[in-house]
Amino acid sequence: SLVLRFFGVLGMLRLAKLGRTSDAWRHIREAVYERRHEFGLILVLLGITILVSGSLLYLAEAEAQPDKFGSIPRSLWWAIVTLTTVGYGDAYPVTALGRFLAGVIAVAGVTVIALPTGIFAASFSEGIERRRRSKDNAGTDA
């Protein structure tokens, strides 16, 4: 199974090589590069959100569920799973405070995931529009 995954990844890398000359890949690279500072800021924000969320759930749930929230690393795992909207369901709060915090954290997770999507889409759109304008200007100069 691991060998098959490895070959699958190699196949994907081969496809990425073929796509180097594609305009779409260039637009994507440019969009990410243009907004690299914003993406970096979002990663920092995500890290802080995970740390605060895990710590708050540890404080709220450690006594009620020591097997699931009995340590900061366990609570951080829950925060990562919740903030990325995966939500395995292996751990969930049972106290009223824990459930309230979990709701707030889940909404924060959707927000943190939506931010880079919007930034990327705007950058991608701006790049395509810039190319369109430069092509139009090149056509009128001739």
Side-chain angles (χ1 to χ4, degrees), residues 8 11 18 21-22 38 49 52 67 75 83-84 96 101 108 114-116 121 127-128 130 135 139:
L18 293 174
T21 59
S22 169
E38 288 92 339
T49 306
V52 170
D67 58 322
S75 297
L83 287 168
T84 57
L101 290 172
L115 279 173
I128 290 175
R130 235 186 344 263
K135 284 181 181 180

Side-chain angles (χ1 to χ4, degrees), residues 1-79:
S1 171
L2 186 60
V3 174
L4 291 175
R5 286 185 189 175
F6 177 74
F7 284 118
V9 169
L10 285 179
M12 288 171 39
L13 289 174
R14 225 176 315 135
L15 282 175
K17 267 187 177 178
L18 293 174
R20 279 189 197 163
T21 59
S22 169
D23 278 347
W25 283 110
R26 188 172 61 244
H27 290 311
I28 291 170
R29 277 194 315 270
E30 289 173 0
V32 170
Y33 183 77
E34 286 176 1
R35 303 298 175 122
R36 66 190 178 281
H37 299 294
E38 288 92 339
F39 288 130
L41 181 62
I42 288 171
L43 283 176
V44 170
L45 178 65
L46 179 62
I48 291 169
T49 306
I50 288 170
L51 187 61
V52 170
S53 299
S55 299
L56 288 173
L57 254 292
Y58 168 74
L59 293 173
E61 294 287 322
E63 286 183 28
Q65 298 186 78
D67 58 322
K68 294 181 180 166
F69 294 97
S71 68
I72 296 283
R74 288 182 196 160
S75 297
L76 288 175
W77 170 249
W78 174 87

Side-chain angles (χ1 to χ4, degrees), residues 92-108:
Y92 51 88
V94 294
T95 65
L97 177 60
R99 287 182 178 188
F100 172 76
L101 290 172
V104 172
I105 292 166
V107 170

